[in-house]
């Protein structure tokens, strides 16, 4: 597991508990995009109940073309 992703998840939890509810606002505070914030939670399992993210299957680009 990447230390950067673990750090982002930890900081997200701190910001979330401090009262910030919108992921976009938390990402901005952490100087990350909202996508990076969500991507940091992919594969985190149940250790982070605040946010869970599932990586899209590889077939989605075919659906868009």
């Amino acid at each position: 597991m990447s230390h950067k992703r673990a750090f982002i998840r930890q900081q997200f939890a701190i910001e979330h508990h401090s009262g910030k509810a919108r992921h976009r606002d938390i990402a901005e505070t952490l100087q990350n995009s909202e996508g990076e914030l969500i991507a940091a939670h992919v594969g985190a399992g149940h250790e982070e109940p605040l946010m869970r993210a599932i990586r899209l299957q590889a077939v989605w680009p075919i659906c868009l073309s």
Side-chain angles (χ1 to χ4, degrees):
M1 177 186 313
S2 166
H3 294 291
K4 181 179 179 181
R5 292 188 313 170
F7 177 77
I8 291 172
R9 286 197 308 271
Q10 179 184 28
Q11 294 302 309
F12 170 77
I14 291 168
E15 290 292 324
H16 182 77
H17 289 302
S18 74
K20 291 187 179 176
R22 294 180 58 194
H23 295 169
R24 183 183 343 180
D25 296 336
I26 294 173
E28 185 176 303
T29 300
L30 299 177
Q31 298 180 345
N32 288 306
S33 69
E34 190 173 3
E36 288 175 303
L37 180 67
I38 293 168
H41 288 81
V42 170
H46 297 287
E47 69 184 56
E48 303 288 338
L50 297 176
M51 182 191 304
R52 284 185 289 200
I54 299 170
R55 186 171 309 278
L56 295 175
Q57 294 180 0
V59 297
W60 71 268
I62 296 168
C63 296
L64 296 176
S65 58

